[in-house]
Amino acid sequence: MPGRCGRRPVKKKSKARKALVWTGGTTAFVVLATALGGYLYLEHLNDNINAVSDDGASTGGFQKDKAINILLIGTDKRTGEGNESYGDAGSVGHADTTLLLHVSKDRTNATALSIPRDLIVDIPDCPTQMKNGTEKVIPGSAGARFNTSLGQSDRTPSCTMRTVTELTGITPDNFMVADFNAIKTLTTAVGGVEVCLAQDVDDKDSKLKLSAGTHTIEGEQALAFVRTRHAWGNQGDLDRIKVQQQFLGALMRQLKSSDTLTSPSKMIKLAEAGTEALTVDSQLDSINKLKDLGLELGKLNTKNLTFTTLPVVDNPAEAVRATVVVDESKAPEILDLIKNDVSFTEVKQQEKKEKAAVAARLEGTKAAASEVRVQVLNGGAPAGSAQEVLTWLQVEEGVSRSENAGNADETLKRTTLEYAPDQADQARRLADLLGLSGSGMKPGESVTNSQGAPAMTLTLGEDFKGAGVSLTTPSKAPDDIEKSTADKVECAE
């Protein structure tokens, strides 16, 4: 429930009391693998849930019939046994590793978007419930590093959530946060994770020393592996992100290939090891919500989990390379693909009949533009868009029987055209003019326009980019996007 903070009162422990690991940052993807094994043991999780308020920054929580967006945050806070010896021991816990996990509406695929910690962003003002129960607005910060959206100035995960929304245009449904202990305890619980190195590594900062080739690592060594920066590529955070993504893929393959998920005792051991590293948002402070989320994620075929990174370029305002800024020539395309629920991998279509029906909506005769009757509603597009489209339809395209019907009752991600069966020829003409795909056409009922005649309803969604700009959504991501998938074995270099 919003506003509730801290751990639940401790109850009498049982052997299986501590259940599933729902961790953030580099370990949160364990949920995708463990989802394959079932969630009966989630019934024991209540006592271990540590929740903080989402401060109204989320959508209100994931929904079963919609795409899911989970913000996964790994902090650099040095809490836990043995972690005080690491560098920056006094860290307040910044957003050191952050991923936005998007799971498709049909649950066939997912995309994990890494957000660089050194990205320059505008952190918005953050209404926040403090630990003592009071509320205050933590002032925003223009031109700040992304990682300071958490920890700095008492910022909580809800502020990181608001920053991600400002940055991407995607509002997360929930967040999950974990500290250093998650990597150590989880990798030990599963018996280690096999990683591949393209060259020898001897990093005195992280204390990682491994020869080229494959190794099974766990505990402190696994943490050193994901923390190492100086051994990879140009020794920056962007190359470390790639290695962390490779590690996550290896962790998932280990969990899926081992007998851990079919052994109740091993599942309990895995859960016992990591639950204490978990913090979730107040919308997930419920065993039923966690179970439901787990079951939704469990529908995912992990071969279709894609890792990618928000495209960035060196900050032109700096003489010495230290921070980055969004690459405006590449980032919008990736963000649009995620917003429009487009898979980054080839996904086998399970509903061939539905796919054929969608395509068929565009086939057939088309009415003349002058015969098209339509009411235009704004359902998430910028203010004034309905009138902009109306003017364009009437002046440029000859759709004279169109009218502005104001704002829709709800916000839509995608523009939709609803029409009655006897208006199919009109719908095809209007879809052709708009560049609207068959998936945006919704057979339904007509409405009565101001002249008392039946009309279609065109609702402009958040994907609307301007009158005359095609609304066709690509069916797959372009091949030139830098990405990897969880099932692919890669060597860190």
Side-chain angles (χ1 to χ4, degrees):
M1 293 181 292
R4 294 188 57 193
C5 298
R7 295 192 181 276
R8 298 176 182 267
V10 177
K11 299 179 181 179
K12 185 178 180 181
K13 293 184 178 181
S14 66
K15 182 179 179 181
R17 189 192 63 146
K18 295 181 179 180
L20 175 67
V21 180
W22 289 85
T23 58
T26 56
T27 58
F29 288 89
V30 72
V31 72
L32 299 177
T34 53
L36 303 173
Y39 280 86
L40 294 178
Y41 52 99
L42 277 174
E43 296 175 2
H44 305 286
L45 186 60
N46 272 331
D47 293 338
N48 297 331
I49 300 174
N50 186 31
V52 296
S53 177
D54 70 350
D55 296 314
S58 73
T59 62
F62 77 94
Q63 297 184 41
K64 294 181 181 180
D65 59 345
K66 295 184 178 181
I68 297 174
N69 294 294
I70 306 293
L71 187 63
L72 311 171
I73 308 170
T75 77
D76 58 1
K77 194 170 185 177
R78 272 63 172 167
T79 55
E81 183 178 353
N83 295 330
E84 68 279 355
S85 62
Y86 298 130
D88 195 15
S91 174
V92 293
H94 295 116
D96 191 58
T97 301
T98 304
L99 303 100
L100 180 62
L101 174 65
H102 172 86
V103 183
S104 67
K105 181 179 179 179
D106 64 7
R107 309 295 186 252
T108 62
N109 64 92
T111 302
L113 178 72
S114 292
I115 301 175
R117 53 164 290 169
D118 296 324
L119 175 66
I120 296 300
V121 297
D122 291 334
I123 300 174
D125 292 344
C126 299
T128 306
Q129 178 179 320
M130 309 307 292
K131 291 181 179 179
N132 62 7
T134 62
E135 295 183 3
K136 77 172 185 178
V137 176
I138 300 175
S141 180
R145 288 180 188 246
F146 175 82
N147 69 332
T148 61
S149 64
L150 178 66
Q152 200 84 358
S153 304
D154 292 326
R155 293 182 179 123
T156 65
S158 68
C159 193
T160 305
M161 184 177 274
R162 293 186 193 277
T163 305
V164 168
T165 300
E166 289 272 333
L167 174 66
T168 66
I170 302 169
T171 302
D173 300 306
N174 301 98
F175 65 70
M176 299 178 185
V177 187
D179 59 21
F180 282 179
N181 279 338
I183 285 286
K184 296 195 296 185
T185 55
L186 278 174
T187 53
T188 300
V190 299
V193 175
E194 185 177 277
V195 296
C196 176
L197 284 77
Q199 68 230 1
D200 295 346
V201 171
D202 187 1
D203 186 347
K204 292 179 174 56
D205 288 335
S206 69
K207 300 179 177 58
L208 179 68
K209 186 174 183 179
L210 291 172
S211 60
T214 58
H215 298 269
T216 299
I217 59 176
E218 62 180 80
E220 292 285 351
Q221 196 174 43
L223 179 59
F225 184 86
V226 298
R227 289 186 62 241
T228 294
R229 295 197 342 174
H230 304 302
W232 320 125
N234 63 7
Q235 302 186 21
D237 187 56
L238 297 180
D239 285 305
R240 182 177 69 160
I241 286 175
K242 294 178 183 178
V243 174
Q244 289 176 340
Q245 292 172 347
Q246 293 166 7
F247 178 84
L248 289 172
L251 175 60
M252 291 189 62
R253 290 194 299 273
Q254 170 66 14
L255 284 162
K256 187 176 180 181
S257 63
S258 72
D259 62 354
T260 301
L261 302 177
T262 59
S263 169
S265 62
K266 289 187 177 181
M267 286 194 295
I268 292 171
K269 181 180 178 181
L270 177 62
E272 293 262 357
T275 307
E276 295 301 331
L278 167 70
T279 298
V280 297
D281 70 87
S282 47
Q283 302 294 338
L284 286 177
D285 187 12
S286 158
I287 187 60
N288 288 329
K289 279 288 186 180
L290 284 169
K291 179 189 69 175
D292 289 344
L293 176 59
L295 291 173
E296 292 304 307
L297 296 177
K299 298 174 184 178
L300 173 68
N301 183 338
T302 55
K303 291 193 300 183
N304 293 314
L305 168 59
T306 300
F307 295 101
T308 190
T309 302
L310 184 70
V312 295
V313 294
D314 291 337
N315 187 354
E318 292 181 332
V320 179
R321 182 174 62 188
T323 61
V324 293
V325 295
V326 172
D327 185 344
E328 296 295 347
S329 68
K330 297 180 179 179
E333 178 182 30
I334 286 182
L335 294 176
D336 282 346
L337 290 168
I338 294 175
K339 291 175 188 176
N340 290 305
D341 205 23
V342 177
S343 176
F344 281 57
T345 59
E346 292 286 351
V347 178
K348 183 178 180 180
Q349 296 293 334
Q350 298 178 347
E351 301 293 340
K352 293 183 179 180
K353 292 183 179 179
E354 174 62 21
K355 183 179 179 181
V358 167
R361 292 170 191 166
L362 295 171
E363 298 177 359
T365 59
K366 299 181 179 68
S370 59
E371 297 176 359
V372 174
R373 294 188 181 91
V374 62
Q375 287 189 337
V376 183
L377 293 169
N378 191 330
S385 294
Q387 186 59 46
E388 178 188 347
V389 168
L390 181 66
T391 301
W392 173 73
L393 286 174
Q394 292 180 340
V395 176
E396 301 293 333
E397 302 298 338
V399 184
S400 56
R401 299 180 183 184
S402 52
E403 59 187 36
N404 187 342
N407 292 325
D409 293 333
E410 61 179 343
T411 298
L412 301 181
K413 292 289 185 184
R414 298 182 60 187
T415 297
T416 301
L417 175 62
E418 182 173 359
Y419 59 97
D422 60 354
Q423 297 171 317
D425 55 346
Q426 294 183 46
R428 284 189 284 269
R429 172 57 65 191
L430 189 58
D432 186 50
L433 295 174
L434 296 169
L436 186 67
S437 65
S439 60
M441 299 172 68
K442 179 182 176 182
E445 299 178 353
S446 63
V447 295
T448 302
N449 65 15
S450 60
Q451 305 300 314
M456 300 180 294
T457 301
L458 175 65
T459 305
L460 305 178
E462 294 177 344
D463 61 338
F464 176 78
K465 295 182 176 60
V469 179
S470 176
L471 288 162
T472 299
T473 301
S475 59
K476 64 183 292 289
D479 294 331
D480 60 353
I481 291 178
E482 188 172 340
K483 59 189 178 181
S484 61
T485 53
D487 64 328
K488 184 178 180 181
V489 178
E490 298 183 89
C491 292
E493 60 183 0

